Amino acid sequence: MKKFEYTITDPLGIHARPAGLLVKAVKALDSTVTIEKVGGKSAEAKKLMAVMGLGIKQGDTVAVTVEGGDEDASAAAVEKFFKENL
């Protein structure tokens, strides 16, 4: 299991467009990715409505957990996605 935290810098937080891109990117991986709003709810990153339902805004910190498959490569890919898009 790999885990990292990231503070959202996108002015709109995780809204429809980046959430859709995230779901698409995660579905291509061989691992299970879970996003947890620190101190709040969590959701599987493959489920668009669940990710959007977390209500993550700019400045919120999320904990991302990657399990199964090629965890190292998957965690690196997800972390890169977050830095480039969120």
Side-chain angles (χ1 to χ4, degrees):
M1 178 173 79
K2 297 286 182 183
K3 189 171 186 174
F4 69 90
E5 287 192 353
Y6 183 79
T7 300
I8 303 300
T9 58
D10 186 301
L12 301 174
I14 299 182
H15 55 94
R17 185 182 43 77
L21 293 173
L22 174 64
V23 169
K24 184 177 180 182
V26 168
K27 284 185 177 181
L29 302 175
D30 189 32
S31 301
T32 300
V33 179
T34 305
I35 300 173
E36 177 184 359
K37 186 174 178 179
V38 174
K41 302 182 283 184
S42 66
E44 186 177 335
K46 289 182 181 179
K47 299 181 179 179
L48 178 63
M49 296 310 290
V51 171
M52 290 178 57
L54 293 174
I56 298 169
K57 307 284 186 217
Q58 181 183 25
D60 287 348
T61 299
V62 294
V64 181
T65 306
V66 181
E67 295 181 84
D70 187 1
E71 291 176 352
D72 293 326
S74 295
V78 173
E79 192 163 7
K80 180 180 178 197
F81 177 89
F82 269 74
K83 288 177 180 174
E84 292 176 353
N85 298 286
L86 297 171

